[in-house]
Amino acid sequence: MDRIDCLRAFVRTLEGGSFSAAAKELGIGQPAVSKRIAMLESEFGTQLFSRTTRTLKPTAEAHRIYDLARQILDRFDMARASAVEAAPRPTGTLRIGVPSSFGRRYIMPVIAEYVRNYPEVRVDIRFSERFVNLVEEGIELALRIGHLEASTLVSRRLGTVQRYLVATPTYLHGRPLPRTPDDLGSHQCIVYSRMSPAHQWAFESEHGRHVASINGPIHVDDADAMQEATMQHLGIAILPDWNAADGLRSGELEHVLPDYSIAALPLHAVYPETDWMSLRARSFLDLLVARAGHFAPVTSHSRAASAGG
């Protein structure tokens, strides 16, 4: 049994979360996976997994060597493919993190295309609005909406996310229509709890920047939930383009304060800084870049403005 087999068992176990998951993917028995991990632990002189009867948890040492182990396996697979004069193919598990609402709408079709192109890759998708720690969670690539904080992550700009202030005609009926951002203080607003500061909305107009203090009965951290709350006539919300577009076109939503714009948010792909990006992550990033033009619905600003009356 060579060290490549041991490294492959280690990587598959960490990615899959169990010896049984690694055994299934490698096509060997669970005892064989456990033996290979034990041999690797003996070779490295350190414990790689904390084992109990119920859980298998990677140690800090396992997380430290994981990226290097993936690089070794990727390069070995490329060398093997070159030896038989075949173009290297992505393999293994690609773990990605995507914002929940955006991911369901736009990234799942990209993933479907990717899996059809590279059936040797298993894609592990983590949906979350949180900015998770990629290294700790073993995520090779993530999509992030919003301004990025300083970090060691490498980023690739994919586009922008337009946002609209909207409400249903039913909610607005019988209430004074907001004419300026300050008027929002007398309205029920649906608050996105992950925006900072959550209780302030900023607008731009020909007269400059305006910041309105808002409040309301609903605080959520998911754009689809915000859309549903808006469609239930619970208040005014700032929705991303994909949640607002259909309602604005159909008239189910009205564009509130059409003379005031809300700054678009940048969309990035981010990944850990490393000397070697796996072929599966690189090929997925290339596909994301190629499909980035489809990540925003066509929402006519003039149509939205006319809907606001």
Side-chain angles (χ1 to χ4, degrees):
M1 186 187 308
D2 62 28
R3 291 174 177 82
I4 291 294
D5 290 332
C6 295
L7 281 176
R8 205 177 296 279
F10 161 69
V11 168
R12 298 297 182 262
T13 299
L14 194 148
E15 291 176 343
S18 68
F19 289 154
S20 59
K24 183 177 181 180
E25 184 170 344
L26 294 172
I28 59 178
Q30 185 172 331
V33 173
S34 180
K35 183 178 179 181
R36 292 180 185 185
I37 298 297
M39 291 181 65
L40 204 60
E41 290 176 328
S42 177
E43 178 82 15
F44 290 164
T46 188
Q47 185 176 7
L48 298 175
F49 294 95
S50 299
R51 305 165 176 83
T52 69
T53 56
R54 293 172 178 256
T55 63
L56 184 72
K57 184 177 180 181
T59 63
E61 291 77 15
H63 284 297
R64 280 200 294 270
I65 70 171
Y66 171 61
D67 190 53
L68 288 172
R70 285 194 317 194
Q71 294 178 33
I72 291 169
L73 292 176
D74 286 336
R75 290 179 176 180
F76 177 81
D77 290 340
M78 290 180 68
R80 182 171 55 187
S82 298
V84 296
E85 298 182 351
R89 297 276 296 176
T91 59
T93 297
L94 173 64
R95 183 170 294 156
I96 61 175
V98 297
S100 302
S101 175
F102 179 84
R104 286 190 289 265
R105 188 71 58 92
Y106 293 116
I107 302 304
M108 285 308 300
V110 177
I111 290 170
E113 181 180 358
Y114 182 83
V115 170
R116 286 193 290 268
N117 292 339
Y118 304 108
E120 300 91 348
V121 177
R122 183 180 67 182
V123 182
D124 182 355
I125 312 150
R126 305 296 174 90
F127 290 93
S128 176
E129 298 296 325
R130 296 184 301 112
F131 281 16
V132 299
N133 187 305
L134 271 59
V135 176
E136 287 184 1
E137 301 203 17
I139 293 175
E140 289 193 77
L141 186 144
L143 277 292
R144 289 186 172 171
I145 297 172
H147 299 285
L148 300 177
E149 297 180 356
S151 73
T152 59
L153 295 176
V154 181
S155 65
R156 176 71 180 268
R157 180 75 172 257
L158 296 177
T160 57
V161 173
Q162 301 293 330
R163 298 179 295 163
Y164 296 91
L165 187 69
V166 298
T168 62
T170 298
Y171 169 81
L172 294 172
H173 181 72
R175 292 181 170 90
L177 188 67
R179 300 296 180 185
T180 71
D182 289 340
D183 295 336
L184 295 173
S186 61
H187 280 268
Q188 300 293 328
C189 295
I190 299 166
V191 180
Y192 183 62
S193 57
R194 293 199 177 275
M195 189 63 66
S196 180
H199 290 88
Q200 288 185 345
W201 287 348
F203 302 86
E204 299 287 342
S205 76
E206 60 182 8
H207 302 295
R209 189 169 187 265
H210 310 262
V211 177
S213 296
I214 56 96
N215 212 331
I218 301 292
H219 291 225
V220 295
D221 66 353
D222 179 84
D224 289 345
M226 290 174 62
Q227 178 186 4
E228 180 61 22
T230 307
M231 299 304 292
Q232 292 293 331
H233 325 298
L234 298 181
I236 300 174
I238 295 177
L239 294 183
D241 206 341
W242 63 88
N243 287 109
D246 290 343
L248 289 171
R249 280 193 292 263
S250 68
E252 292 179 280
L253 292 174
E254 292 190 11
H255 189 183
V256 180
L257 298 178
D259 294 330
Y260 295 82
S261 63
I262 301 170
L265 296 176
L267 170 66
H268 290 94
V270 298
Y271 48 94
E273 186 176 25
T274 177
D275 293 332
W276 180 261
M277 190 179 191
S278 74
L279 185 57
R280 58 183 170 268
R282 170 58 60 187
S283 56
F284 187 74
L285 178 59
D286 290 343
L287 184 58
L288 280 175
V289 172
R291 299 292 177 263
H294 303 291
F295 289 168
V298 178
T299 303
S300 168
H301 185 75
S302 59
R303 171 67 183 87
S306 65

